[in-house]
Amino acid sequence: MSHSSPKPVLSLARAKIGERLRVVTICPDCPECLRLRELGFQDRVEVRKIADGAAIICSVMGMRVAIGRDLGEHVRVEKIAA
């Protein structure tokens, strides 16, 4: 019987460029995170981080979306096997 260890959860802001990621959760308390949900960041949605600079550029549901690094800290993600 094999036990798989839980996948580490990190913020989108700290994830590496090019990794396949899955949204685990988004901060439920802050009003700014409502905008993230409107942009397609939902629990269990696959995201790929494309660029990381003053803004984070991601591919979400076939669209490219740019968000500020501060908002990227509110999105908790886990890596998906390639």
Side-chain angles (χ1 to χ4, degrees):
M1 182 158 109
S2 66
H3 294 289
S4 61
S5 59
K7 295 178 183 175
V9 176
L10 63 157
S11 73
L12 180 60
R14 298 181 192 277
K16 294 180 182 173
I17 295 171
E19 288 182 328
R20 287 182 62 207
L21 306 163
R22 179 175 294 125
V23 176
V24 175
T25 187
I26 299 173
C27 176
D29 303 328
C30 61
E32 297 87 7
C33 292
L34 175 61
R35 183 68 181 135
L36 288 172
R37 290 183 181 85
E38 291 171 347
L39 290 170
F41 290 89
Q42 304 286 333
D43 292 356
R44 312 301 300 160
V45 167
E46 187 175 326
V47 175
R48 185 177 300 265
K49 189 171 180 179
I50 298 170
D52 190 359
I56 299 168
I57 301 174
C58 298
S59 175
V60 181
M61 298 177 3
M63 299 177 297
R64 286 190 175 198
V65 177
I67 63 171
R69 294 194 59 75
D70 54 336
L71 278 180
E73 289 290 344
H74 292 266
V75 181
R76 309 303 286 173
V77 296
E78 64 185 5
K79 294 179 191 174
I80 302 174

